Amino acid sequence: MSSRARTIRSADGSDRRPAVLGRRTLLAGGGAAAALALAACAEETPPGPVPTGPASGTPTPVADAEQFAVVVGEISTAVTDADAKRDASLLAPRVVGSAAEFRQKAYEIIAAQPEAAPTLATPSSTVMYPMTSVSGTFPRAAIMLVADSVDGGFPLFLALSQADARSPYTSWGWARQLPGVEPPHIEDPTVGADAVAPDADGLVTTPQDALARFAVRLSNGVDAEQMLAADPFTTEAHSGIQDERAKLNQGVAQDSLATIHEEYTVHDGEFAALRTDDGGAIVMGALRSSRTISMKGGATLTANDPEVRLAGKDSFTQELVRDFGEIVALYVPTEDSGAQIQAIGASKILLGVHGS
């Protein structure tokens, strides 16, 4: 872990506020999720298989486990080949959307600043548990729980989508299963599960609103109706912000030299949701976030850090902004359950840095 000096210079020109910030604290390659994943792998045993509900005598999924094993294998191969050559064009046709964008941005970062290379989560070809859809309409969704390509890594929730009958299943993203969070029971894979629409009722809130609420709590810590259960991804994100705020204003009143805020929004067009056997839903979606450090009172932020150098400079008098992409998986319970929405998977990666 590097420890490069970052100094906020006050308006009078004196270096009164030294702040030595390690990359993990201020600019970890994958943001809070990467730090969480590293800590979790070192201290906790990866979660066991997702528990299943009772089997049914009437198999009805639109695609079976063997077909999805082929799809996942091709996705894993495409990602591995693209990573080896740092060539995002090799991701097609199986890897699309946010997953392809995140890889492309990562390759650009590696080319510009190899020391700032983000940690890239890569799904293996091993399907631990397929969550398949019985929907006969398009677009179709499926969610696979797959093993990490790294031995001992946490499994990944892999979102799949099929646009129409002639199109292949593609993946727009994957989210690492969070440690210490019990996943919901899901239907037996030989049965399949009902697809759940973004605006479906009968849940504590609609799936699309659950994603929006999760983004709001990540941004501001606000959950006025107490719909969201605690989760390690949110905890790590918020503690990272507070740690960075303290270091930026070391030795002075909080926020007197610089403020910091990370704003999360739901990225439209990427959604997958399947019914659990208790009537709830596993919901996957994509987010984007921007973490902004804003200087105050004529202060200047200087930094000797490879990730900061992605902005093309190392001194900032107005702001420093880091952009991230996230894929999340939530469990949304039924309206009458009395349960809270639970984040069960999340991944985060740095997409770029800019400032002035």
Side-chain angles (χ1 to χ4, degrees), residues 51-66:
T52 67
S56 165
T58 309
T60 55
V62 294
D64 61 28
E66 291 184 3

Side-chain angles (χ1 to χ4, degrees), residues 25-245:
T25 302
L26 179 56
L27 291 171
L36 174 63
L38 290 173
C41 289
E43 300 173 6
E44 301 197 40
T45 302
V50 174
T52 67
S56 165
T58 309
T60 55
V62 294
D64 61 28
E66 291 184 3
Q67 291 173 294
F68 280 120
V70 172
V71 172
V72 172
E74 292 180 358
I75 289 171
S76 179
T77 297
V79 174
T80 301
D81 290 348
D83 284 356
K85 297 180 180 179
R86 302 289 188 258
D87 184 356
S89 69
L90 299 177
L91 295 169
R94 290 292 191 186
V95 181
V96 299
S98 287
E101 179 192 348
F102 292 0
R103 239 51 185 191
Q104 176 65 43
K105 294 295 186 182
Y107 301 158
E108 292 171 3
I109 288 171
I110 293 168
Q113 292 289 338
E115 292 180 75
T119 300
L120 299 174
T122 303
S124 74
S125 60
T126 302
V127 179
M128 300 174 65
Y129 200 85
M131 293 167 259
T132 57
S133 172
V134 297
S135 173
T137 60
F138 293 96
R140 287 175 179 160
I143 299 173
M144 304 287 112
L145 186 68
V146 303
D148 194 346
S149 60
V150 177
D151 289 342
F154 282 71
L156 303 167
F157 290 98
L158 179 74
L160 296 175
S161 179
Q162 184 183 28
D164 54 56
R166 296 183 180 223
S167 299
Y169 271 97
T170 60
S171 178
W172 47 260
W174 42 89
R176 192 177 300 281
Q177 186 174 350
L178 295 176
V181 176
E182 183 178 353
H185 288 258
I186 57 177
E187 293 285 357
D188 186 281
T190 62
V191 178
D194 290 327
V196 180
D199 59 353
D201 55 17
L203 304 169
V204 291
T205 189
T206 65
Q208 62 190 6
D209 185 62
L211 290 168
R213 287 174 180 270
F214 189 61
V216 168
R217 189 179 68 170
L218 282 168
S219 300
N220 304 313
V222 175
D223 180 21
E225 298 179 52
Q226 297 296 299
M227 281 194 177
L228 296 158
D231 70 85
F233 180 74
T234 300
T235 299
E236 187 76 13
H238 290 171
S239 64
I241 287 284
Q242 294 306 320
D243 289 347
E244 191 170 341
R245 171 176 283 121

Side-chain angles (χ1 to χ4, degrees), residues 201-205 275 278-280 331-340:
D201 55 17
L203 304 169
V204 291
T205 189
R275 189 74 63 184
D278 63 0
Y331 166 62
V332 184
T334 59
E335 188 174 18
D336 59 0
S337 66
Q340 293 176 299

